[in-house]
Amino acid sequence: EEGEEAEEEAEGQRAPMTAIVVVGATGNQGAAVLQHLFAYAQDKKEEGLKLYAVSRDVAGARAMQISTVFAGVQTLQADMENQESLRAAFSKPREDGAKEVRVFVVTTPCLMSGGMVIDPVKETIVGCAMVDALKEASVDHAVFSSVANCDKDNSPECVKSKKPIEDHLKKSGLSYTILRPVTMVEVWDRVHPITSGRVCGMVNGSVSMQWVSTMDVGAVAALSLLDPASRRGETIDLCGDVTTGDEVAQAVSKMRGGEKFTYGVAWVTRIVVWLFASLLFDERVRFPLEGGFKADTKPLEKISASYPACFKRQGPLTYARILLSGGMDKKRLPMSGGVGKALLQLVAGIAFVICACYYLLPSSVFEDLKR
């Protein structure tokens, strides 16, 4: 009996005192959060900290990479659209012996059709259900990544959809921290990659926009999870840079030793989005043209100035710093333009004319054409 008691006591001592669960660990923000948590745990040799990564498909290639890249991180299966699976995932650390459980959560309006359809209403429903799952699992602290200016009337629907989730979290009685990032550079750069001599975007080059790096979002989220008391009950804007498309083109020219880069509007993409994705057009074109995000830049400046050494940087990641970290000063860039792009522009132009005629000309004109 004494041997069994000693064994149970040893197991209790080995059990992690604190568990942190990262939802969306294979996505942009979740992966950044996990990366910073793992770096901190390795640097501080935090034996009392156990990390969990939540993924919808634990057998998928990206989820399988987690255990390879982040040794010791346990992957849990849960679907954002399934409240019971989320509750089970949030409860698992406690079953494993954790005394305290903290969770990073993020939502997306792209839940339907494998992420190809934007549905802000569904995002709100799913986000509120996620908060309910947190409460049911008696989570000790939650960090929710929302979005800047979600409480403003002129914000896009896929921005305002996060405000009800924030309100639901605040009313839940849970300990929380809410982060409000602006447009993320890395996500935008994948949609509009920089090509030889050209920087593209959805709006005019003189339009000023606010930016933040997913890495800074991950860093601040990680710190808020590691030390909940320091930011408990706070709602924090995250903005690392304010710049225009023309200024980005000038910065790239300087990085590449004087190679000339100009900024231009990606008209093909803009027209296609206008025709077939009104919510996305509202977010990527209408909103920036009307002033865009107006987030406070001071919180990130203050927090990033005292990043721990294991994060390997100080200060917010500006647009230029992000490009440099990706090798923009040296890497070979794809050629811009070409016959293929010209054909696409032609097709888009024809589609634009047809749709414009359909919406602007009287119906009698089309009846005459049919006859």
Side-chain angles (χ1 to χ4, degrees):
E1 291 181 359
E2 290 181 0
E4 290 178 358
E5 290 179 0
E7 186 175 341
E8 289 177 0
E9 183 179 351
E11 289 180 358
Q13 292 174 348
R14 287 196 299 270
M17 295 298 294
T18 300
I20 297 179
V21 182
V22 179
V23 174
T26 57
N28 296 302
Q29 296 185 59
V33 176
L34 188 60
Q35 179 177 334
H36 286 86
L37 287 171
F38 185 77
Y40 183 90
Q42 293 292 103
D43 182 67
K44 304 297 182 182
K45 298 187 170 33
E46 291 279 353
E47 296 181 358
L49 179 64
K50 173 69 175 178
L51 302 179
Y52 293 81
V54 176
S55 175
R56 179 170 52 186
D57 182 14
V58 294
R62 297 179 71 177
M64 295 288 284
Q65 287 178 348
I66 290 176
S67 58
T68 303
V69 177
F70 306 112
V73 175
Q74 184 175 342
T75 306
L76 303 174
Q77 192 282 329
D79 190 330
M80 285 187 183
E81 299 180 68
N82 187 319
Q83 184 176 334
E84 178 56 32
S85 71
L86 289 168
R87 186 202 61 77
F90 300 156
S91 299
K92 183 64 168 63
R94 199 89 66 182
E95 296 171 3
D96 291 344
K99 298 297 187 296
E100 186 169 343
V101 180
R102 306 164 189 168
V103 181
F104 170 80
V105 291
V106 62
T107 61
T108 172
C110 302
L111 288 166
M112 301 176 66
S113 305
M116 297 302 293
V117 177
I118 298 175
D119 190 341
V121 175
K122 187 166 187 178
E123 178 187 20
T124 297
I125 295 171
V126 169
C128 290
M130 191 180 299
V131 172
D132 292 337
L134 291 167
K135 190 170 180 63
E136 290 171 5
S138 300
V139 166
D140 296 285
H141 188 73
V143 174
F144 171 49
S145 182
S146 179
V147 66
N149 299 146
C150 61
D151 54 348
K152 304 300 182 184
D153 291 337
N154 74 322
S155 293
E157 292 303 316
C158 54
V159 170
K160 291 191 288 187
S161 59
K162 290 180 172 58
K163 184 60 168 61
I165 305 173
E166 289 187 4
D167 295 339
H168 195 56
L169 177 59
K170 291 176 181 178
K171 294 176 182 177
S172 68
L174 292 166
S175 172
Y176 70 86
T177 302
I178 295 173
L179 306 181
R180 285 184 168 183
V182 294
T183 304
M184 298 182 194
V185 176
E186 294 88 346
V187 177
W188 188 272
D189 189 50
R190 284 202 301 273
V191 178
H192 304 289
I194 296 175
T195 55
S196 179
R198 189 167 176 80
V199 177
C200 286
M202 294 281 277
V203 294
N204 301 337
S206 60
V207 176
S208 181
M209 293 182 64
Q210 290 192 323
W211 304 95
V212 70
S213 169
T214 55
M215 296 301 287
D216 276 329
V217 177
V220 177
L223 293 176
S224 302
L225 290 162
L226 292 165
D227 184 13
S230 64
R231 297 177 182 86
R232 181 173 285 121
E234 293 186 14
T235 299
I236 306 170
D237 281 354
L238 295 179
C239 174
D241 198 8
V242 183
T243 187
T244 67
D246 289 335
E247 289 170 344
V248 172
Q250 292 170 11
V252 175
S253 296
K254 186 176 180 180
M255 288 177 203
R256 297 182 68 85
E259 181 183 348
K260 181 65 174 176
F261 279 77
T262 58
Y263 177 89
V265 177
W267 285 108
V268 173
T269 305
R270 181 163 162 171
I271 291 171
V272 170
V273 169
W274 175 69
L275 290 173
F276 304 109
S278 59
L279 289 174
L280 189 59
F281 183 86
D282 190 41
E283 176 194 5
R284 298 293 177 92
V285 181
R286 193 275 306 169
F287 184 53
L289 289 176
E290 292 183 0
F293 289 116
K294 299 297 182 184
D296 188 355
T297 59
K298 293 179 182 177
L300 183 55
E301 289 177 3
K302 181 179 179 180
I303 296 171
S304 62
S306 57
Y307 279 163
C310 58
F311 287 5
K312 298 181 179 180
R313 66 183 187 280
Q314 298 290 320
L317 287 171
T318 62
Y319 207 125
R321 286 183 69 183
I322 294 168
L323 293 178
L324 277 174
S325 66
M328 180 55 66
D329 57 332
K330 298 178 181 178
K331 70 179 181 181
R332 184 175 181 180
L333 298 175
M335 296 296 294
S336 58
V339 177
K341 188 170 182 179
L343 289 173
L344 280 174
Q345 289 176 332
L346 177 62
V347 172
I350 294 172
F352 172 76
V353 172
I354 292 173
C355 290
C357 291
Y358 178 80
Y359 283 110
L360 298 177
L361 294 178
S363 59
S364 58
V365 173
F366 292 95
E367 292 173 1
D368 290 340
L369 287 173
K370 288 180 182 178
R371 286 196 296 269

